[in-house]
Amino acid sequence: MSLVVQKFGGTSVADSEKILSAARKAVRAHQQGHQVIMVVSAMGKNTDMLVQLAGEISEKPPAREMDMLLSTGEQVSVALMAMAIDSLGYQAVSLTGSQIGIQTDSSHTKARIQHISTARIQSLLDQGNIVIAAGFQGIDENLNITTLGRGGSDTTAVALAAVLQAETCEIYTDVDGVYTTDPRILPEARLIGSVNYDEMLELASLGAGVMHSRSIEFGKKFNVAIRVRSSLSDASGSLIIDHAQTRELPVSGAALTRDEARISILDVPDVPGTIYELFMKLAEAKVTVDMIVQNIADDGTADISFTIPRDEADETFDILRPIVQSLGGRMGKTDQEVSKVSVVGMGMATQVGVANRMFRALADANISMQMITTSEIKISALVRRDQALAALRTVHKEFGLDTGVTDTPSFSYEPDPLPQIDAIDVVDRLQKIGMESLMVDDIVLDDSQSRVTLTGVPNEAGVAAAVFERVADEGIFVDMIVQSYADDQHADISFTVPNKQFAASLEVATQIQQEFKCQGLNYKREIAKLTVSGIGLRSHTGVAIGMFKALHDAKINVDMINTSEVRVNVVVDGCEGQAGLECLRNQFTKAMR
Ligand code: ADP
Ligand code: ASP
Ligand code: MG
């Protein structure tokens, strides 16, 4: 008999009427002959209220007690939902995370799922029950209650769908599905009929709060078809799958992370291990670092900038100051008034001239970019917070997301594809080693590229656009782009190109240097790009740190870095590519699939 998982978010169970309406959806699926597991969130804003209450009692509530408190929200909902099903004349049993046997690690408030016992749920389903599971919570090996992080009920739902090999996992929420950007921020956003796991992973981690990004990691690892849809209607919503319908557009969606801060560290010696030492300390303090960029200086020193969530800025500054001093560097100005705007799309991996369109559109709207990082399927730019909304609207329009052809939801109500056999093997294996443990697919060396760097580029809107427009006009395929913050007036821009287009790229860069009065131009003809690819690499901060550590131990210097959910790339000197590849393979043998 087929199994469906239906997850209802906070707004979809906000009052008794809504609980009954959700119950009716589950009953309908049951009547159609499916076994049904419902995963429910806390009612309405209940979790926020509990967080606020804790804050009134203590400035720093112990994380264990936060979990004890927050897990009560879901316990209320599951009980009420089971009563609702019962009142409709059907059998239901509610279960908390510990009753299901959702075993997690012990990192309170952001625990990761290690194992799920299926026996009890399966036997309740086989007895004809609709099983109501509390989202967002689990239990560690010492029977402490844990939670998975805000928004974590999505992850519970997809994880249950994975271990029980459900036919589909339906996420019922307060919007019609996944949109090209948050429809509450930009009303012109459009519904996307189907979206790839990789695109959704990036969008979710870049600010598209409609799905908890770790739930998409599960979806991808275990090949769970996820349908996001409205709890208020029967519209078919959006499907998140392995191969979404191909679109003409290079960009599928845009996202905004509003509350970011930029930290800059200046004049640290450019020797192997500097980055490792800095980020190790931040990882120990569990600071989530993003958009790491490093300038390649001529005088043997480096400047490093990165972004972090704004509310972690002060703490991060305090942690770093003594280390940076001991390394002989200094702290640059921290900017707490910045936001990150990103575009995501599988299409950009194969098309020339996507980045320059984004840069030109922002420049024409008079929005200047303080930092830029790209990866294969995303481009992110850091902008002033008061320009963030305008920036989002500008890029959304530039890529035709407001009017263009997003694919129409053409799928019908036929059953979604069953998980493939290998997904079942993966479930078995991961149940043993930890379901959310790191999974590395591949480690590769690309030694076919060159790097070009413009330093002291005047920090005015339009220079980055001019650089990449001219590069695109020459038909040059740019791979990595990094624009770092040098000071308030200047930025450095580095990019990588195929070796065979190096001469042409250098020519363009030389013209730009003269025209825009950039301070310097440097390059490396032979670089090596080392890529670790897998799933959830950014949320496992250990991956970047592990790469830095391995390279540090092998005395290999890192020139450029970029991170995404599915890949971490570093650039090192061309002659160190092979050695770098070997040390990374050693570092990650255990995590290889
Ligand atoms: P739930 O309580 O059901 O889990 P959430 O508030 O977590 O609901 O997620 C739904 C919200 O996500 C929407 O109301 C919408 O404002 C926001 N959102 C952000 N980005 C997107 C996007 N790209 N598509 C759809 N909704 C989005
Ligand atoms: N109730 C939790 C929260 O508000 C989990 C969830 O809704 O997914 O974050
Ligand atoms: Mg949610």
Side-chain angles (χ1 to χ4, degrees):
M1 188 186 260
S2 68
L3 172 75
V4 297
V5 174
Q6 298 185 329
K7 178 255 171 182
F8 293 86
T11 37
S12 309
V13 292
D15 55 38
S16 47
E17 219 11 81
K18 291 195 167 127
I19 291 177
L20 279 161
S21 144
R24 281 192 281 272
K25 286 200 192 289
V27 164
R28 186 166 8 134
H30 185 80
Q31 285 168 336
Q32 286 167 354
H34 300 289
Q35 292 190 325
V36 182
I37 299 176
M38 296 178 86
V39 174
V40 288
S41 292
M43 293 171 69
K45 300 252 171 260
N46 203 348
T47 310
D48 291 336
M49 262 166 46
L50 293 170
V51 170
Q52 193 193 335
L53 201 54
E56 286 168 18
I57 304 247
S58 157
E59 239 173 64
K60 246 194 162 162
R64 180 188 182 282
E65 305 312 328
M66 272 317 270
D67 280 352
M68 182 66 99
L69 178 70
L70 297 192
S71 65
T72 61
E74 271 67 15
Q75 197 168 334
V76 171
S77 315
V78 285
L80 293 172
M81 189 62 79
M83 293 174 196
I85 303 267
D86 177 77
S87 77
L88 298 173
Y90 289 81
Q91 268 171 253
V93 176
S94 65
L95 297 173
T96 63
S98 71
Q99 288 173 327
I100 301 168
I102 299 192
Q103 173 106 34
T104 71
D105 63 18
S106 301
S107 30
H108 284 290
T109 73
K110 45 187 159 220
R112 281 180 178 276
I113 298 176
Q114 290 174 330
H115 184 269
I116 300 180
S117 332
T118 51
R120 184 169 186 185
I121 294 196
Q122 195 59 63
S123 106
L124 287 168
L125 289 169
D126 292 343
Q127 290 160 31
N129 292 288
I130 293 176
V131 173
I132 326 276
F136 171 60
Q137 53 179 263
I139 194 161
D140 76 0
E141 57 180 356
N142 298 316
L143 310 184
N144 295 300
I145 293 177
T146 53
T147 63
L148 309 181
R150 296 302 307 270
S153 296
D154 298 329
T155 295
T156 308
V158 183
L160 284 172
V163 282
L164 291 155
Q165 275 126 48
E167 189 171 284
T168 182
C169 181
E170 299 185 315
I171 305 288
Y172 286 94
T173 184
D174 59 359
V175 280
D176 282 343
V178 179
Y179 279 71
T180 48
T181 195
D182 188 340
R184 287 184 208 289
I185 304 185
L186 289 193
E188 64 268 37
R190 291 159 53 90
L191 187 70
I192 311 178
S194 61
V195 59
N196 269 292
Y197 291 128
D198 283 0
E199 289 175 325
M200 194 64 226
L201 257 175
E202 294 296 349
L203 284 170
S205 86
L206 293 167
V210 63
M211 291 297 292
H212 195 228
S213 71
R214 278 162 49 199
S215 69
I216 313 297
E217 292 176 25
F218 269 106
K220 179 169 174 174
K221 263 185 201 165
F222 303 118
N223 200 21
V224 180
I226 303 169
R227 193 191 291 280
V228 183
R229 57 198 306 198
S230 166
S231 57
L232 299 173
S233 75
D234 281 329
S236 51
S238 307
L239 198 55
I240 306 171
I241 41 170
D242 198 9
H243 297 290
Q245 290 172 5
T246 44
R247 281 177 285 270
E248 305 268 299
L249 302 172
V251 167
S252 304
L256 181 66
T257 317
R258 247 184 69 80
D259 294 317
E260 295 269 284
R262 192 207 64 237
I263 299 240
S264 296
I265 299 165
L266 308 175
D267 304 334
V268 287
D270 182 24
V271 291
T274 306
I275 299 189
Y276 167 59
E277 213 166 305
L278 291 171
F279 291 108
M280 193 63 210
K281 288 284 187 289
L282 294 178
E284 279 167 13
K286 296 226 168 3
V287 176
T288 34
V289 177
D290 190 25
M291 280 188 99
I292 307 167
V293 300
Q294 181 184 12
N295 302 355
I296 301 112
D298 301 324
D299 63 353
T301 66
D303 298 345
I304 299 168
S305 297
F306 54 89
T307 59
I308 46 170
R310 182 197 199 181
D311 54 8
E312 294 176 19
D314 292 336
E315 181 199 356
T316 307
F317 193 90
D318 292 345
I319 295 171
L320 283 176
R321 196 170 30 197
I323 315 167
V324 169
Q325 263 166 8
S326 74
L327 288 169
R330 63 197 167 89
M331 296 298 292
K333 215 166 73 183
T334 299
D335 188 344
Q336 303 209 16
E337 300 301 320
V338 287
S339 302
K340 180 174 57 182
V341 177
S342 310
V343 296
V344 173
M346 301 296 282
M348 72 175 76
T350 48
Q351 296 187 24
V352 178
V354 180
N356 61 285
R357 275 179 68 187
M358 168 163 171
F359 304 158
R360 170 57 61 204
L362 290 174
D364 288 349
N366 238 331
I367 295 167
S368 95
M369 299 175 289
Q370 298 191 3
M371 278 163 67
I372 301 169
T373 55
T374 65
S375 80
E376 284 72 1
I377 64 162
K378 73 146 203 271
I379 306 167
S380 295
L382 199 69
V383 300
R384 275 185 9 220
R385 187 165 308 123
D386 60 2
Q387 296 187 316
L389 184 58
L392 181 68
R393 176 161 283 136
T394 301
V395 298
H396 190 261
K397 187 167 174 18
E398 170 61 30
F399 290 106
L401 301 179
D402 54 342
T403 52
V405 213
T406 61
D407 53 339
T408 43
S410 60
F411 48 84
S412 63
Y413 265 152
E414 281 148 38
D416 295 322
L418 283 168
Q420 291 158 3
I421 298 302
D422 67 345
I424 296 168
D425 289 345
V426 175
V427 173
D428 286 346
R429 199 165 75 77
L430 282 181
Q431 280 276 47
K432 292 190 193 99
I433 63 168
M435 293 195 69
E436 283 197 77
S437 61
L438 174 64
M439 203 168 194
V440 170
D441 286 328
D442 211 1
I443 302 174
V444 295
L445 162 67
D446 169 4
D447 55 6
S448 67
Q449 295 199 54
S450 311
R451 169 181 60 78
V452 177
T453 299
L454 283 160
T455 60
V457 181
N459 204 350
E460 57 197 56
V463 184
V467 174
F468 294 104
E469 270 167 1
R470 292 205 202 164
V471 169
D473 284 349
E474 297 292 320
I476 296 169
F477 187 84
V478 178
D479 180 14
M480 290 169 72
I481 300 177
V482 162
Q483 179 190 302
S484 56
Y485 167 90
D487 57 46
D488 280 343
Q489 281 82 44
H490 298 98
D492 293 354
I493 298 179
S494 294
F495 56 97
T496 67
V497 295
N499 288 148
K500 55 180 187 313
Q501 296 184 309
F502 173 63
S505 310
L506 202 57
E507 216 166 284
V508 174
T510 309
Q511 286 165 14
I512 296 267
Q513 185 199 0
Q514 286 162 2
E515 205 171 308
F516 288 92
K517 304 204 172 25
C518 308
Q519 287 161 358
L521 171 63
N522 67 59
Y523 51 83
K524 217 177 243 179
R525 186 157 192 326
E526 311 280 327
I527 58 165
K529 176 181 166 192
L530 295 161
T531 302
V532 173
S533 55
I535 299 174
L537 300 190
R538 207 144 44 140
S539 60
H540 282 276
T541 38
V543 179
I545 306 278
M547 288 178 83
F548 298 152
K549 176 172 185 335
L551 294 168
H552 164 228
D553 291 348
K555 303 207 163 19
I556 296 174
N557 218 359
V558 174
D559 264 6
M560 281 169 84
I561 309 153
N562 70 25
T563 56
S564 75
E565 287 297 317
V566 289
R567 256 178 222 102
V568 181
N569 297 312
V570 298
V571 169
V572 303
D573 198 285
C575 64
E576 294 182 313
Q578 271 305 334
L581 181 65
E582 267 153 49
C583 78
L584 292 182
R585 288 210 167 129
N586 291 336
Q587 177 76 17
F588 293 107
T589 10
K590 272 227 302 273
M592 294 288 281
R593 281 203 212 221

